[in-house]
Amino acid sequence: MKTSAGLLLFRHTDDGLEVLLGHMGGPFFARRDAGAWTVVKGEYEPDSETAWAAARREFQEELGLPPPDGQAVPLGEVRQTNGKVVTAWAIEADLDPATVVPGVFSMEWPPKSGHLREFPELDRVEWFGLDRARTVIVKAQAAFLDRLAEHSA
């Protein structure tokens, strides 16, 4: 079973609660919006690091910025349709998406071409109101938005 951990940044604005989501990079998600946005997260091995340590490390790797300090609100776990278990925490913080320097991954592209290409882990990050976020986030991760809303009520 694969495991991931991540941080969901949130802020209060005049328009209500907003969350920071990342659009998954690479050719499979390039033209997708719904279901292509995610909590800033990444995989880890539970035998070698804690979920909390992984969430902070992955934030740094995915966005090229240190994870914010602040009170972490545990959002629990969800199981995605691919079987991966994701653990997340919410932290109230502001972040300018223009400051992000995304990490990259390599893959053969086009398939069976023998050519390795690099793609950003997240090709962009944006702030979303909760209603809009629910329409674009990976389906199972919408539970994190609901849990955050309950906490912030």
Side-chain angles (χ1 to χ4, degrees):
M1 173 178 60
K2 291 187 177 185
T3 54
S4 280
L7 300 178
L8 178 64
L9 298 193
F10 70 97
R11 66 184 183 185
H12 295 277
T13 70
D14 291 342
D15 294 326
L17 193 62
E18 293 184 340
V19 294
L20 185 76
L21 300 178
H23 185 270
M24 292 181 272
F28 299 118
F29 298 99
R31 291 181 174 82
R32 290 184 52 197
D33 198 39
W37 292 83
T38 181
V39 169
V40 177
K41 63 167 183 54
E43 290 186 10
Y44 73 102
E45 295 294 330
D47 294 342
S48 50
E49 75 182 319
T50 66
W52 174 245
R56 295 181 57 78
R57 174 184 54 76
E58 286 291 339
F59 188 93
Q60 175 84 43
E61 289 178 10
E62 300 264 331
L63 300 185
L65 301 169
D69 292 322
Q71 181 180 351
V73 177
L75 299 177
E77 295 180 347
V78 298
R79 181 179 300 273
Q80 298 183 162
T81 55
N82 62 4
K84 182 184 291 183
V85 175
V86 180
T87 305
W89 289 265
I91 296 179
E92 186 168 6
D94 204 355
L95 182 147
D96 179 355
T99 62
V100 169
V101 181
V104 296
F105 68 96
S106 296
M107 69 179 283
E108 183 179 16
W109 191 258
K112 300 179 183 175
S113 67
H115 299 287
L116 274 183
R117 290 195 42 205
E118 283 193 344
F119 296 96
E121 294 274 357
L122 299 172
D123 58 23
R124 61 192 184 274
V125 295
E126 291 180 25
W127 288 98
F128 290 91
L130 289 183
D131 289 341
R132 175 79 174 118
R134 281 186 185 92
T135 69
V136 298
I137 198 167
V138 172
K139 189 174 182 178
Q141 292 180 27
F144 294 142
L145 304 177
D146 297 338
R147 295 170 192 166
L148 175 61
E150 286 174 18
H151 170 78
S152 300

